[in-house]
């Protein structure tokens, strides 16, 4: 048993100390928006935010992040309002199968937030920072959507 | 084709549920035969008919094809909703249950072959038009007017500026005779509000908020979870394992040995996954008579077959005599293979991300002995398909697990299992002897290619059980016409000089299957590289050379000319190079120009320009997405895609050694749709074939040695 702070809620979860955060989120917290793609930190499908940083949740145990603020895709839209990245993804109709997109959006959200704090924008933020795999090949839309997300974030 | 009105029949599954009654339409199509089995009110579960209109104006359509990211949850509803004048915002779309009335022209419920829109273009529009006509007739009677006084919009009948929801007339319409196919009136294309419009995908909001439900997300009460490890060498068996070590892990319920694999079932997937690593399983030794111990052995068997066949002797002013090859490729769908099954005494429920209800059911039948009526398939969204999910192997394992556990079980493959137990795009070697006349015009084209056969493995799965005994011998008699797709017809050759192509089939121990664009993925690389070799030999511009030779294929020439124009062919800045390629595949024409820069062996792809004639375009937004995606998919394969075999098993295991393109490496892609005619043709796979040859032709334009094998990483190339 351990306690994780997920999307602003403290959850008592029945997980062993060595359970990866990914599977604690999916199987114990029941938040299936966070996806399994490789289990070795390669693809980014499992990306969540921990204290604001994008982390591949398959690479870290649940017990290691106790007391930290974990955000998953389910928390991004508040009161039905999409966040800047989601809004941009919607405008460019980015997803094909969609399976990688939770991870893409979480990673992009961390990029946008961090850049805004530092007062930076594209092209000062290298694209390579978003290196999640999309097997459907939606990159041609992620690129402009990411630009748009920066604009939206700065407008807000 | 005839449309049936089924509203008077009881709807079997939903009969206990309370709901509005209404109009339920089915459709029977003479090819394939579709039998009508159920009908009537408020379908709450499986919907065995195509369309339901409730008295509360709920409109539900059954999607005969499954959604894997290719957008059929949008494009196919557009067809029906257009002619019905449904309300696009409130229209509900469900995936078809197991029912042969939804069969595609592949005589199965199978989503593949770039056929979705082609196959259902007429059927879905007919159902929409038929239902609308019945609603109008009922409305005219009820409103005391005639049909000509009525119009429709957004699921409303409009009469004298008043709107009446369709549902108000659904019951009355249900008792009317169904109009004849021949009497249906269709909208004028100029009045379309949905067909031809760049609508966003219907599932986008769910896909960006984490709400989309894929197979891996399925939850049912009392669900157990299983991890699986397959015998690494194809065709071998587990012989020894440490069951106690696995059972000692908290939550683990059982170790299930199977012919080809071991499964660990636990309460949670992570527990099963942890336990499976403790099994320390040993497997039987390689015992196949077929080549497959390693990649070199397979290549030698291929070369031996080619040498036996020999080369064609040709007499021409110039002769190109070359050999090309491509490796095995895995699909690596973003969502690894998984399936959930619940086998009960008299029924089985499957929650599966599947491209084929029919294939899933045939595996299930073989295991359980159940018939079609007892098999309930709940198709989920798929995290990619690319052909892999048309297979039934992953479904069968879940069915077995549930039978053993007498509980619902979800089986999830690790990425390693997914890559090492695929049905691979076959490795192919292709030889050419091409004769050019004194003007460098091709006048003889001989091609011997060797591959293992996708068809030979698939045919037995498609034949009915009573024909099983004949299916396998049949595949040996028939040969494999799929292997030569894209290699038997050439726009560059006169009618009487078309390619003389011989396909040699070598069975290997490596299972092969359809991989996005199937044989076009290899044959287009070969043929479009060879013609480029001819152009360079002739010291002619590769685009002009191709265009000049195309005398009888106006649509192919049109996309070639279009892409050259859009890409500003021949006007590259210093240090940039262009390659071009064109393909005729899935009844569509696709041409590409790739613009590259090259420093040492580092390739920068500045742009991919693509022109496509896929006949009538139903959704330009979805069409572009498919082409963009196909290009990136092909680029991953061309740059780094390779599955190799050592000691009888696949060497690669995850994305670190089976790498995929990432955002910073992905090119700018410009897609131009060059529509023609009034029939849609294939789209989902057509972005793949021309990319590899166009890229390699760009390298040749940059003065690099001709690339005759893929991937480019084997030649020292990298993407910037
Ligand atoms: S599942 Fe975590 S990076 Fe792939
Ligand atoms: S949208 Fe399918 S993997 Fe990215």
């Amino acid at each position: 048993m351990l306690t994780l702070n997920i999307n602003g809620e403290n959850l008592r979860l029945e997980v062993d100390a060595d359970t990866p955060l990914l599977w604690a989120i999916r199987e114990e917290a029941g938040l299936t928006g966070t996806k399994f793609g490789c289990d070795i930190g390669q693809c980014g499908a499992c990306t969540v935010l921990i204290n604001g940083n994008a982390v591949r949740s398959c690479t870290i145990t649940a017990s290691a992040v106790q007391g930290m603020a974990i955000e998953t895709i389910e928390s991004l839209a508040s009161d039905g309002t999409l966040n800047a990245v989601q809004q941009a993804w919607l405008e460019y109709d980015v997803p094909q199968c969609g399976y990688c997109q939770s991870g893409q959006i979480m990673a992009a959200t961390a990029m946008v937030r961090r850049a805004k704090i530092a007062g930076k924008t594209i092209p000062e933020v290298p694209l390579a920072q978003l290196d999640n795999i999309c097997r459907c090949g939606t990159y041609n839309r992620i690129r402009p959507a990411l630009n748009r997300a920066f604009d939206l974030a700065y407008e807000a | 084709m005839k449309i049936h009105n089924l509203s008077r029949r009881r709807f079997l599954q939903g009969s206990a549920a309370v709901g509005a009654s209404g109009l339920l339409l089915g459709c029977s199509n003479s090819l394939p035969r579709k039998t009508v089995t159920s009908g009537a009110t408020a379908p709450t579960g499986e919907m065995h008919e195509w369309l339901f209109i409730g008295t509360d104006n709920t409109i539900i359509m059954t999607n005969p094809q499954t959604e894997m990211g290719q957008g059929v949850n949008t494009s196919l509803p557009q067809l029906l909703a257009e002619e019905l004048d449904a309300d696009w915002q409130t229209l509900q779309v469900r995936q078809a249950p197991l029912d042969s009335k939804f069969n595609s022209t592949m005589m199965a419920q199978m989503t593949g072959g770039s056929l979705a829109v082609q196959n259902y273009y007429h059927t879905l529009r007919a159902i929409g038009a038929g239902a609308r006509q019945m609603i109008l007739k009922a409305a005219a009677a009820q409103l005391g007017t005639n049909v000509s006084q009525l119009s429709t919009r957004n699921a409303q009948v409009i009469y004298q500026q008043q709107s009446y929801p369709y549902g108000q007339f659904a019951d009355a319409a249900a008792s009317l005779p169904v109009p004849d196919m021949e009497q249906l009136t269709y909208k004028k294309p100029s009045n379309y509000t949905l067909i031809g419009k760049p609508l966003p995908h219907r599932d986008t909001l769910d896909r960006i908020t984490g709400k989309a439900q894929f197979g891996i997300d399925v939850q049912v009460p009392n669900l157990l979870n299983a991890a699986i490890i397959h015998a690494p060498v194809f065709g071998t068996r587990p012989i020894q394992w440490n069951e106690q070590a696995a059972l000692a892990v908290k939550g683990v319920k059982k170790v299930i040995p199977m012919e080809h694999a071991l499964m660990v079932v636990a309460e949670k997937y992570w527990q099963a996954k942890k336990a499976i690593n403790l099994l320390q399983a040993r497997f039987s030794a390689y015992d196949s008579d077929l080549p497959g111990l390693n990649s070199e052995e397979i290549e030698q068997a291929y070369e031996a077959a080619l040498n036996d066949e020999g080369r064609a002797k040709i007499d021409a002013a110039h002769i190109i005599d070359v050999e090309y090859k491509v490796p095995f490729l895995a699909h690596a769908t973003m969502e690894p293979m998984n399936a959930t099954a619940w086998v009960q005494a008299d029924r089985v429920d499957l929650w599966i991300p599947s491209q084929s209800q029919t294939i899933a059911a045939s595996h299930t039948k073989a295991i359980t002995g159940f018939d079609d009526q007892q098999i309930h398939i709940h198709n989920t969204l798929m995290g990619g398909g690319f052909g892999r999910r048309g297979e039934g192997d992953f479904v069968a394992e879940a069915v077995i697990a549930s039978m053993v556990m007498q509980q619902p079980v979800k089986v999830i493959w690790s990425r390693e299992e997914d890559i090492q137990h695929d049905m691979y795009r076959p490795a192919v070697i292709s030889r050419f002897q091409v004769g050019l006349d004194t003007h460098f015009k091709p006048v003889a084209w001989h091609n011997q290619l060797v591959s293992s056969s996708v068809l030979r493995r698939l045919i037995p799965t498609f034949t009915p059980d009573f024909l099983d005994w004949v299916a396998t011998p049949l595949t040996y008699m028939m040969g494999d016409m799929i292997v030569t797709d894209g290699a038997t017809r050439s726009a560059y050759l006169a009618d009487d000089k078309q390619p003389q192509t011989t396909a040699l089939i070598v069975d290997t121990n490596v299972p092969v299957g359809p991989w996005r664009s199937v044989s076009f993925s290899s044959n287009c690389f070969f043929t479009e590289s060879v013609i480029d070799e001819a152009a360079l030999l002739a010291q002619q511009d590769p685009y002009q050379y191709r265009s000049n030779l195309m005398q009888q294929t106006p649509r192919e020439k049109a996309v070639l000319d279009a892409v050259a124009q859009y890409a500003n062919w021949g006007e590259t800045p210093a240090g940039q190079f262009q390659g071009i390629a064109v393909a005729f595949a899935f009844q569509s024409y696709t041409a590409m120009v790739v613009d590259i820069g090259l420093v040492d062996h580092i390739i920068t792809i500045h742009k991919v320009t693509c022109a496509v004639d896929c006949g009538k375009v139903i959704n330009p937004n979805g069409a572009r997405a498919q082409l963009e995606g196909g290009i990136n998919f092909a680029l991953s394969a061309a740059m780094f895609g390779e599955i190799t075999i050592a000691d009888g098993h696949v060497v690669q295991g995850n994305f670190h050694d089976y790498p995929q393109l990432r955002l910073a490496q992905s090119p700018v892609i410009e897609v131009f749709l060059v529509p023609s005619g009034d029939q849609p043709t294939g789209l989902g796979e057509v972005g793949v074939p021309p990319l590899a040859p166009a890229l390699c032709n760009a390298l040749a334009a940059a003065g690099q040695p001709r690339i005759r094998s893929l991937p480019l990483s084997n030649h020292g190339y990298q993407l910037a």
Side-chain angles (χ1 to χ4, degrees):
Chain A
M1 277 289 242
L2 48 79
T3 304
L4 294 183
N5 183 283
I6 303 181
N7 301 335
E9 262 182 81
N10 281 322
L11 303 176
R12 292 282 293 158
L13 302 177
E14 185 79 41
V15 287
D16 303 337
D18 62 349
T19 305
L21 178 60
L22 165 62
W23 294 101
I25 290 172
R26 286 184 56 82
E27 299 205 282
E28 300 302 333
L31 297 169
T32 55
T34 304
K35 296 299 192 236
F36 154 58
C38 71
D39 257 345
I40 62 162
Q42 276 284 327
C43 72
C46 64
T47 305
V48 298
L49 304 190
I50 298 177
N51 290 348
N53 297 311
V55 173
R56 295 184 171 178
S57 64
C58 66
T59 60
I60 190 165
T61 60
S63 55
V65 296
Q66 295 179 80
M68 300 183 192
I70 302 162
E71 291 170 75
T72 70
I73 185 76
E74 287 86 353
S75 72
L76 292 190
S78 55
D79 305 327
T81 309
L82 301 176
N83 86 354
V85 175
Q86 289 172 311
Q87 180 61 35
W89 255 237
L90 184 72
E91 288 175 18
Y92 283 87
D93 199 30
V94 170
Q96 287 185 32
C97 82
Y99 194 80
C100 74
Q101 298 298 343
S102 296
Q104 306 278 6
I105 289 167
M106 294 313 288
T109 296
M111 274 171 82
V112 172
R113 282 191 200 162
R114 199 170 44 233
K116 194 176 171 185
I117 291 165
K120 289 186 174 172
T121 188
I122 285 176
E124 297 160 280
V125 180
L127 272 186
Q129 279 186 15
L130 185 56
D131 72 339
N132 292 12
I133 294 173
C134 174
R135 278 295 281 151
C136 297
T138 59
Y139 303 125
N140 209 49
R141 297 185 184 208
I142 289 181
R143 208 177 296 112
L146 198 54
N147 269 307
R148 174 78 177 131
F150 274 85
D151 290 348
L152 287 168
Y154 272 90
E155 277 166 25
Chain B
M1 184 162 52
K2 186 164 164 34
I3 302 177
H4 299 271
N5 182 348
L6 303 158
S7 306
R8 295 288 138 207
R9 308 238 203 130
R10 296 293 294 163
F11 183 81
L12 300 179
Q13 283 296 310
S15 55
V18 190
S21 63
L23 173 67
L24 196 65
L25 273 192
C27 168
S28 97
N29 192 327
S30 55
L31 192 150
R33 277 187 308 281
K34 286 175 181 141
T35 47
V36 173
T37 52
S38 61
T41 57
T44 55
E46 291 175 30
M47 204 163 101
H48 284 265
E49 302 311 333
W50 297 76
L51 174 63
F52 171 77
I53 302 175
T55 49
D56 62 355
N57 221 20
T58 300
I59 303 187
I60 310 172
M61 114 167 215
T62 304
N63 193 339
Q65 296 273 278
T66 57
E67 171 66 46
M68 55 185 137
Q70 87 284 40
V72 291
N73 268 357
T74 305
S75 55
L76 296 187
Q78 277 178 268
L79 298 171
L80 184 145
E82 179 70 74
E83 293 297 344
L84 178 61
D85 259 344
D87 178 353
W88 187 244
Q89 301 310 324
T90 58
L91 176 72
Q92 297 177 36
V93 180
R94 293 196 194 159
Q95 303 258 264
L98 177 66
D99 192 326
S100 61
K101 77 162 66 71
F102 299 111
N103 277 1
S104 81
T105 48
M106 288 192 248
M107 291 185 285
Q109 281 180 276
M110 169 65 82
T111 304
S114 291
L115 284 165
V117 167
Q118 298 183 71
N119 260 334
Y120 298 96
Y121 180 65
H122 294 287
T123 308
L124 291 172
R125 284 165 53 250
I127 292 169
R132 177 175 171 274
Q133 224 157 296
M134 292 165 78
I135 293 277
L136 280 176
K137 215 166 165 191
Q142 224 161 298
L143 299 168
T145 179
N146 54 46
V147 170
S148 64
Q149 301 304 306
L150 305 175
S151 63
T152 55
R153 182 160 20 95
N154 287 339
Q156 309 276 331
V157 175
I158 299 166
Y159 176 54
Q160 293 181 339
Q161 272 115 52
Q162 281 264 28
S163 295
Y164 306 86
Y166 280 3
Q168 196 172 320
F169 313 108
D171 268 343
S175 59
L176 295 173
V178 172
D180 211 318
M181 264 299 279
E182 319 307 318
Q183 292 173 17
L184 292 178
T185 46
Y186 292 94
K187 281 191 187 171
K188 282 206 207 65
S190 54
N191 292 335
Y192 283 165
T193 59
L194 298 170
I195 292 179
K197 302 289 180 267
L199 303 180
H201 293 99
R202 292 175 60 89
D203 311 301
T204 295
L205 196 58
D206 284 350
R207 284 168 169 150
I208 59 175
T209 51
K211 290 203 188 87
Q213 292 283 301
F214 298 87
I216 202 167
D217 304 324
V218 165
Q219 282 302 328
V220 290
N222 298 318
L223 181 66
L224 296 172
N225 290 275
I228 190 163
I229 177 172
H230 298 84
V233 176
F234 303 116
T236 63
R237 303 166 304 284
I239 49 174
Q240 202 189 333
W241 57 93
N242 187 346
E243 182 162 331
Q244 288 316 314
L247 289 174
V249 174
K250 196 174 114 200
V252 170
K253 302 274 188 196
K254 209 177 194 70
V255 176
I256 304 177
M258 289 187 293
E259 182 71 16
H260 67 301
L262 293 165
M263 257 187 299
V264 173
V265 186
E267 281 163 20
K268 298 289 152 59
Y269 172 73
W270 182 251
Q271 298 164 334
K273 165 91 194 209
K274 193 156 81 170
I276 211 152
N277 295 330
L278 302 174
L279 284 175
Q280 298 198 303
R282 290 182 46 230
F283 300 90
S284 62
Y286 188 85
D287 60 358
S288 170
D289 298 335
L290 299 172
L293 199 54
N294 53 55
S295 294
E296 295 73 29
E297 191 194 32
I298 294 168
E299 190 165 332
Q300 282 159 17
Y302 275 22
E303 292 287 354
L306 283 167
N307 291 340
D308 281 353
E309 175 71 17
R311 292 175 154 84
K313 306 215 178 352
I314 50 177
D315 189 17
H318 309 276
I319 292 171
I320 296 172
D321 187 338
V322 287
E323 182 174 299
Y324 278 78
K325 66 178 176 185
V326 292
F328 292 108
L329 292 171
H331 298 78
T333 56
M334 204 69 234
E335 178 191 19
M337 293 302 109
N338 67 81
T340 301
W342 186 12
V343 184
Q344 300 178 73
D346 56 353
R347 64 182 277 153
V348 50
D349 286 83
L350 302 173
W351 294 267
I352 47 172
S354 169
Q355 288 177 246
S356 177
Q357 293 91 331
T358 305
I359 296 288
S362 84
H363 282 258
T364 305
K365 276 187 252 183
I367 296 163
T368 60
F370 287 161
D371 59 28
D372 276 4
Q373 279 68 43
Q374 294 169 296
I375 300 174
H376 303 277
I377 296 184
H378 319 281
N379 226 106
T380 67
L381 291 176
M382 282 175 263
F386 315 133
R388 178 62 179 93
R389 287 195 153 93
E391 309 288 349
D393 54 339
F394 59 98
V395 179
E397 292 165 350
V399 171
I400 290 170
S402 177
M403 276 178 96
V404 172
M405 303 308 295
Q406 305 195 346
Q407 240 175 287
V409 182
K410 183 197 293 177
V411 182
I412 302 175
W413 293 25
S414 67
R415 175 59 63 194
E416 288 76 12
E417 293 300 312
D418 187 86
I419 288 184
Q420 301 191 327
H421 296 280
D422 201 346
M423 320 283 173
Y424 302 89
R425 197 283 302 274
V428 184
I429 302 182
S430 190
R431 285 182 179 171
F432 294 85
Q433 303 87 46
V434 173
L436 311 175
D437 67 14
T438 50
H439 301 102
F440 294 93
K441 187 180 153 115
V443 286
W445 186 286
H446 295 266
N447 180 195
Q448 308 84 37
L449 65 92
V450 57
S451 170
S452 49
S453 170
V454 169
L455 201 61
R456 196 170 278 178
R457 191 181 62 74
L458 284 184
I459 287 233
T461 6
F462 272 99
T463 33
D465 296 348
F466 69 95
L467 283 175
D468 265 357
W469 62 277
V470 76
T472 304
L474 193 69
T475 61
Y476 282 81
M477 279 156 50
M478 287 173 37
D480 182 340
M481 59 280 200
I482 292 177
V483 163
T484 54
D485 270 346
T488 51
R489 163 207 169 277
S490 173
Y492 308 122
L493 300 163
D495 279 354
D496 59 342
K497 303 217 162 42
Q498 286 290 301
Q500 303 289 308
T501 302
T502 309
L504 308 164
I505 301 299
V506 170
D507 289 330
T508 80
N509 198 42
V510 180
V512 291
W515 181 96
R516 196 174 188 177
S517 83
V518 199
S519 303
F520 292 105
S521 71
S522 32
N523 285 325
C524 182
F525 166 59
F526 304 146
T527 57
E528 280 298 297
S529 296
V530 169
I531 200 71
D532 213 71
E533 294 206 46
L536 296 199
L537 189 69
Q539 298 189 311
Q540 290 182 30
D541 176 274
Y543 154 62
Q544 280 302 339
Y545 180 76
R546 283 175 171 81
S547 187
N548 292 343
L549 289 173
M550 286 184 180
Q551 296 305 331
Q552 339 220 19
T553 51
R555 291 175 67 188
E556 196 157 348
K557 193 168 152 59
V559 293
L560 183 77
D561 291 341
V563 83
Q565 189 193 331
Y566 290 128
N568 294 321
W569 178 263
E571 290 164 32
T572 49
Q576 286 194 25
F577 308 94
Q578 292 180 312
I580 195 167
V582 59
F584 172 58
F586 305 99
Q587 305 306 313
S588 293
Y589 301 87
T590 313
M592 278 180 209
V593 169
V594 176
D595 281 58
I596 65 163
L598 190 67
V599 177
D600 297 325
H601 269 59
I602 316 257
I603 303 171
T604 303
I605 303 186
H606 295 293
K607 195 168 70 174
V608 177
T609 311
C610 173
V612 179
D613 174 356
C614 58
K616 189 182 178 80
V617 178
I618 306 306
N619 184 336
N621 171 52
R624 283 173 206 284
Q626 281 310 290
L627 293 156
E628 293 158 4
I631 286 166
N632 283 327
F633 189 85
L635 183 54
S636 278
M639 284 307 306
F640 0 88
E642 182 175 36
I643 289 293
T644 52
I645 311 292
D647 300 322
H649 64 81
V650 167
V651 174
Q652 293 72 23
N654 208 317
F655 292 126
H656 64 289
D657 55 6
Y658 193 64
Q660 303 301 331
L661 194 75
R662 301 192 186 235
L663 177 65
Q665 302 170 311
S666 71
V668 170
I669 298 168
E670 287 185 1
V671 171
F672 296 90
L673 302 169
V674 186
S676 75
D678 56 0
Q679 299 295 316
T681 53
L683 191 62
E685 299 170 84
V686 305
V688 176
L691 186 278
L695 173 57
C696 293
N697 293 341
L699 287 169
Q704 296 294 302
R706 173 60 59 179
I707 297 297
R708 297 201 183 96
S709 70
L710 295 176
L712 285 163
S713 55
N714 285 352
H715 302 274
Y717 288 105
Q718 292 172 29
L719 280 181

